[in-house]
Amino acid sequence: MAFIAAHGGDVGKREISRHFGLDGSDRIILKSLLRELADEGLIGRKRNKLHLPGALPAVVMAEVVERDEDGELIAQPIDWDTEEHGEAPRILVRLARRGRVAGPAPTLGDRVLLKTEEMPEADGRIRHNGQVLKLIEKARALTLGIFRRDAQGGGGRLIPVDKRNMGRELAIPADFAGDAEDGDLVSVEVVRHHAYGLPTAKVKERLGSVATEKAISLIAIHAHGIPSVFRREALAEAEAARPATLAGRHETREDWRDLPLVTIDPPDAKDHDDAVHAVPDLDPDNEGGFILTVAIADVAAYVRPGSALDREALVRGNSVYFPDRVVPMLPERISNDLCSLRPLEDRPALAVRMVVGANGRKKRHSFHRIMMRSAAKLAYAQAQAAIDGRPDDTTTPLLDDVLRPLWAAYGAVKKARDARSPLELDLPERKILLKPDGTVDKVIVPERLDAHKLIEEFMILANVAAAETLEEKRTPLVYRVHDQPSLEKMSGLREFLQTLDIKLPKSETVRPAQFNDILARVVGSELAPLVNQVILRSQAQAEYAQENYGHFGLHLRRYAHFTSPIRRYADLIVHRGLVRALGLGHDGLPETTTPEQLAEIAARISASERRAMAAERETIDRLIAHHMAQQLGATFKGRIAGVTKVGLFVALDDTGADGFIPAVTLGQDYYRFDEARHALIGERTGEMHRLGDRVEVKLVEAAPVAGALRFELISEGQFVMDGRRGPRGPGRNRFSRSAERSRPVGRGKRR
């Protein structure tokens, strides 16, 4: 284990055998020993290499959290799963040689990209060193919140937007308020703390009004530091760009304008970056097969490496989608105009032509740099309606020659997908529909159509083809990777499933099909939402990486994002790699690009993706909290979506809104957290509240600015009897909910 730790996880059985001089029967013993260590969770496997669980990657995004007693900076990784790996490791920050770090030296609170190294100490402990590759973000010593002016005029108070600071208001005197108006989103600096009363703060910047829900996304944009205003030089480059031609300065294109490619997108989509086409393969050796074409907007033709647009796109990493607005990765001149595959307009594209058999398996593929002309812009429901016998004026002329061949090809591709058996979680996604004034109209669960699945499967095929081509040409790329669940999470999942009398066999290798078999057993039952949620929580998080260790969820050995370069920087890197590898122009990935540079880019865009997801989720929470703030006292039906030591999280059926029920309000009992069951269980009554349980709750508090709701539980839980779960048994003492609410506040001190 010390040898594995000393080599940073880049070691396998061959390296161990060579180091310890093993051969013959010794290797058989080694294999058995490694299996035992893995079963005990003492080592893990990734890409056929061994590592210690919780080991740091070679390049990590970290935050400088403190100085040690010698004045050295200490950092901790930003993306660290404490449930899986325990406490985040402390990294001693080492500055690179002069001239190697972009920008000023890091200080407390800064975010930095570190190249890590494990240094075993004499006492067996591991010390982590981290060399600064780049300073990503300076510390934010400011607090974000909504300014509320006092009724008497003059000063006011700041209501923080962070859930963690709920109830911690700040006083803003009149001479510290600046030009802030009531309802403005402002950033403030705390200037004084008092022994009694509220801390005093000073407005540093007025960020805009959030007097209406239509501007609620402003909070998330500023709270997460999402760049929302393009730099002047990037806008100038975008405006100066001219439409690509068949024979441009940097590339020569094939003329595919007669091929009736169509785009199929959501009805409210403003940019259209992918188009599809299918036709039966007339080759007698591929009877029943198809030729599929996926064409993707050629963003690389306009966003050149090292340009102002390129630097801006890398800083943003991806587009961010809110219910009321989009913060794009690229200016509208590029994303909504020059690179949007509008119908009947010439557009440059990078296309992949794939030949698939009757069983849906890809036989071969080729990439082409083309000029295309979309035959039509279709919405998912519109295309589906045409196939279902309800064509309209747009789809009628496309039905026989374009749409039906697409659906026939999807039927073949679906066979290969089913045989591959990717992870099939049933987790409906909700969508918020807004009124014209920006307030919430309703929350819906869009129907999942074959049209959605068709586009999804064609895009997956194209992504796989891109990764295969770049590997074959030995061109560096950024992979989209998804690791298999860790041993610890698998052990926890196995314990939980045992409480449901579902067996998950122990195995060295885990496949998505094992999870699918479990999901199939509970489909349609009341346990289905619970099992889907727990299996989801056992999964690792997908990310971008320069090294490939496969995509577990899709059950693919190699996978790269190719199909959305308008909104994801990873796809732009892949496009440039293909241009370079296949000699399709002079604007491809620079020959000087190193694996280390791509590892840095992968770390940055993975962090940007997580930032966008958090901002989008928080905005939805705030919108729904605003919507429900007028319904205090109302009752709702929902399902327990999370269980912790301190309480329950409940998701409502109608809106999907999340709210919290503190454990101390559950009843006159002491509730213990049962990690294996994902439940809170009363010590005396045996009442159990478990993840996935149906509940009825009352809304007792709403904090729209923080996007937080607090509920009171009305319905009863299930009762544990002799280790089993069932209704309340005879003679069990049950306290009324009204009595619970009148008990002394100090009742929860035992916790």
Side-chain angles (χ1 to χ4, degrees):
M1 289 176 63
F3 176 71
I4 292 171
H7 289 75
D10 188 22
V11 60
K13 284 184 289 187
R14 180 185 301 174
E15 289 78 11
I16 293 176
S17 297
R18 185 181 300 121
H19 177 75
F20 290 99
L22 307 182
D23 56 16
S25 60
D26 289 339
R27 293 192 178 187
I28 299 175
I29 298 172
L30 171 65
K31 184 176 181 180
S32 175
L33 173 63
L34 292 177
R35 185 183 299 115
E36 290 177 7
L37 290 173
D39 288 343
E40 293 175 18
L42 298 177
I43 63 172
R45 283 188 173 89
K46 184 183 288 186
R47 307 184 295 277
N48 292 322
K49 298 293 185 180
L50 303 171
H51 64 92
L52 299 188
L56 281 172
V59 177
V60 65
M61 188 82 74
E63 182 175 352
V64 181
V65 294
E66 63 178 319
R67 289 187 184 273
D68 64 12
E69 56 188 14
D70 296 323
E72 299 281 2
L73 293 174
I74 303 297
Q76 287 186 317
I78 292 170
D79 184 27
W80 185 265
D81 191 335
T82 54
E83 289 186 8
E84 179 178 347
H85 301 310
E87 184 179 353
R90 291 157 52 86
I91 308 169
L92 182 64
V93 178
R94 298 292 191 190
L95 296 181
R97 293 188 298 273
R98 185 176 298 276
R100 293 288 299 276
V101 180
T107 58
L108 288 176
D110 289 352
R111 290 191 170 193
V112 290
L113 199 66
L114 299 177
K115 182 179 181 181
T116 64
E117 181 182 17
E118 293 186 353
M119 306 291 290
E121 301 279 27
D123 59 3
R125 291 184 300 175
I126 298 296
R127 187 186 75 191
H128 296 85
N129 287 347
Q131 179 179 303
V132 177
L133 297 177
K134 185 167 290 187
L135 176 60
I136 302 299
E137 182 181 10
K138 291 298 291 179
R140 294 174 176 270
L142 304 177
T143 299
L144 205 63
I146 306 297
F147 177 70
R148 293 300 181 192
R149 189 171 291 280
D150 290 340
Q152 295 80 10
R157 297 190 177 198
L158 183 90
I159 303 174
V161 300
D162 193 332
K163 286 184 182 181
R164 294 170 294 183
N165 292 323
M166 277 183 62
R168 301 177 184 175
E169 297 183 357
L170 303 175
I172 302 177
D175 54 343
F176 283 178
D179 59 354
E181 299 290 340
D182 186 66
D184 279 353
L185 177 67
V186 296
S187 61
V188 304
E189 181 181 31
V190 177
V191 293
R192 281 194 299 273
H193 287 276
H194 307 282
Y196 301 98
L198 301 178
T200 300
K202 181 179 181 179
V203 173
K204 301 297 290 184
E205 187 178 6
R206 181 187 178 192
L207 302 170
S209 174
V210 288
T212 66
E213 293 180 24
K214 196 166 187 177
I216 206 73
S217 52
L218 272 176
I219 296 176
I221 289 171
H222 290 286
H224 290 276
I226 295 172
S228 59
V229 178
F230 285 101
R231 293 182 176 89
R232 186 180 306 168
E233 55 268 30
L235 289 174
E237 269 189 13
E239 291 303 319
R242 293 293 172 261
T245 60
L246 270 172
R249 284 192 310 139
H250 297 277
E251 71 287 327
T252 301
R253 302 180 179 279
E254 301 175 44
D255 189 350
W256 285 22
R257 288 177 291 182
D258 290 335
L259 189 71
L261 290 150
V262 295
T263 62
I264 306 177
D265 293 296
D268 55 353
K270 293 182 179 179
D271 53 58
H272 309 277
D273 55 2
D274 56 81
V276 293
H277 179 265
V279 65
D281 190 0
L282 301 181
D283 186 344
D285 292 334
N286 189 28
E287 185 176 353
F290 293 87
I291 300 175
L292 310 182
T293 301
V294 174
I296 306 298
D298 190 355
V299 178
Y302 299 103
V303 183
R304 307 270 161 66
S307 66
L309 279 172
D310 182 45
R311 294 193 299 272
E312 183 80 22
L314 178 56
V315 167
R316 294 175 177 235
N318 47 254
S319 297
V320 189
Y321 294 85
F322 300 108
D324 64 331
R325 73 178 73 200
V326 176
V327 179
M329 185 180 79
L330 296 167
E332 287 192 14
R333 167 68 173 158
I334 302 295
S335 60
N336 292 358
D337 184 4
L338 295 176
C339 287
S340 186
L341 306 181
R342 295 173 176 172
L344 307 180
E345 294 186 20
D346 291 358
R347 287 291 184 269
L350 198 59
V352 56
R353 180 170 279 167
M354 299 171 285
V355 178
V356 300
N359 60 2
R361 295 186 181 276
K362 180 169 65 66
K363 292 177 172 290
R364 58 187 179 275
H365 68 267
S366 59
F367 281 90
H368 308 262
R369 212 168 190 186
I370 67 169
M371 185 66 72
M372 61 163 284
R373 184 180 293 165
S374 171
K377 178 184 73 173
L378 305 178
Y380 288 116
Q382 181 184 20
Q384 188 68 56
I387 290 295
D388 293 342
R390 303 186 307 278
D392 58 20
D393 292 343
T394 302
T395 54
T396 295
L398 301 170
L399 188 56
D400 291 332
D401 295 335
V402 176
L403 294 179
R404 286 199 172 112
L406 279 171
W407 256 257
Y410 167 63
V413 170
K414 188 176 182 299
K415 295 177 186 176
R417 182 190 190 280
D418 293 342
R420 192 177 82 242
S421 191
L423 187 58
E424 295 274 14
L425 290 171
D426 182 16
L427 299 166
E429 293 187 11
R430 287 175 169 82
K431 182 177 181 179
I432 292 181
L433 300 182
L434 301 179
K435 299 176 183 176
D437 64 355
T439 59
V440 175
D441 181 17
K442 55 185 174 181
V443 182
I444 63 171
V445 178
E447 185 181 1
R448 181 94 166 128
L449 305 171
D450 280 346
H452 294 99
K453 300 173 186 176
L454 179 151
I455 294 298
E456 185 177 284
E457 289 308 310
F458 285 9
M459 297 304 119
I460 289 174
L461 272 179
N463 287 337
V464 171
E468 289 176 348
T469 296
L470 291 173
E471 279 194 359
E472 180 185 345
K473 297 295 183 179
R474 299 184 181 277
T475 302
L477 72 149
V478 171
Y479 292 91
R480 181 64 170 178
V481 292
H482 180 219
D483 207 356
Q484 67 179 26
S486 66
L487 290 171
E488 293 85 353
K489 288 195 174 182
M490 286 298 294
S491 177
L493 176 63
R494 193 174 290 111
E495 288 181 14
F496 166 73
L497 291 174
Q498 285 176 352
T499 69
L500 304 179
D501 294 326
I502 298 175
K503 186 176 181 181
L504 178 62
K506 285 189 177 182
S507 173
E508 280 193 35
T509 59
V510 184
R511 296 180 181 275
Q514 294 174 263
F515 296 122
N516 292 339
D517 290 343
I518 293 169
L519 293 168
R521 291 180 57 181
V522 299
V523 68
S525 72
E526 65 174 16
L527 290 176
L530 167 63
V531 175
N532 274 272
Q533 280 289 341
V534 176
I535 288 180
L536 172 66
R537 295 177 187 200
S538 72
Q539 303 303 307
Q541 187 174 32
E543 61 182 355
Y544 295 105
Q546 189 274 325
E547 292 185 71
N548 179 34
Y549 52 87
H551 198 295
F552 176 80
L554 293 175
H555 200 193
L556 292 169
R557 293 179 60 189
R558 55 188 62 83
Y559 191 66
H561 273 166
F562 159 75
T563 53
S564 292
I566 284 178
R567 61 186 180 91
R568 294 188 304 226
Y569 193 81
D571 304 56
L572 180 56
I573 292 290
V574 169
H575 274 234
R576 289 173 178 165
L578 290 167
V579 169
R580 165 178 152 182
L582 301 173
L584 299 177
H586 303 293
D587 49 0
L589 193 69
E591 294 286 346
T592 55
T593 303
T594 64
E596 291 76 18
Q597 289 173 321
L598 289 184
E600 177 185 331
I601 290 172
R604 293 187 66 175
I605 60 181
S606 293
S608 298
E609 180 184 52
R610 291 189 290 273
R611 175 183 69 185
M613 291 170 62
E616 291 166 357
R617 183 175 60 249
E618 289 175 13
T619 298
I620 290 174
D621 288 344
R622 290 187 177 102
L623 280 168
I624 293 179
H626 270 276
H627 178 59
M628 298 187 65
Q630 309 302 319
Q631 303 179 59
L632 292 178
T635 60
F636 304 91
K637 294 186 182 299
R639 194 179 293 276
I640 296 177
V643 182
T644 69
K645 294 179 181 179
V646 295
L648 308 172
F649 290 92
V650 173
L652 303 186
D653 291 342
D654 293 339
T655 61
D658 286 309
F660 184 62
I661 303 174
V664 294
T665 67
L666 288 177
Q668 290 189 343
D669 201 346
Y670 178 62
Y671 286 82
R672 288 197 177 276
F673 177 54
D674 187 320
E675 187 173 3
R677 283 191 171 101
H678 291 265
L680 287 177
I681 302 176
E683 274 190 348
R684 189 156 44 84
T685 62
E687 184 182 27
M688 177 167 65
H689 303 286
R690 185 167 65 174
L691 183 71
D693 281 356
R694 303 282 308 160
V695 291
E696 185 174 1
V697 297
K698 181 169 76 172
L699 178 62
V700 295
E701 184 181 359
V705 168
L709 302 171
R710 186 164 66 84
F711 296 133
E712 181 181 279
L713 187 63
I714 295 176
S715 56
E716 294 184 351
Q718 295 288 326
F719 289 82
V720 181
M721 299 179 299
D722 300 325
R724 294 171 297 166
R725 191 176 186 224
R728 175 160 45 113
R732 281 197 181 272
N733 184 21
R734 179 64 191 158
F735 296 89
S736 68
R737 297 279 169 191
S738 59
E740 294 162 16
R741 291 195 291 273
S742 64
R743 72 182 186 280
V745 174
R747 181 70 182 87
K749 292 290 185 180
R750 293 175 57 193
R751 201 164 305 283

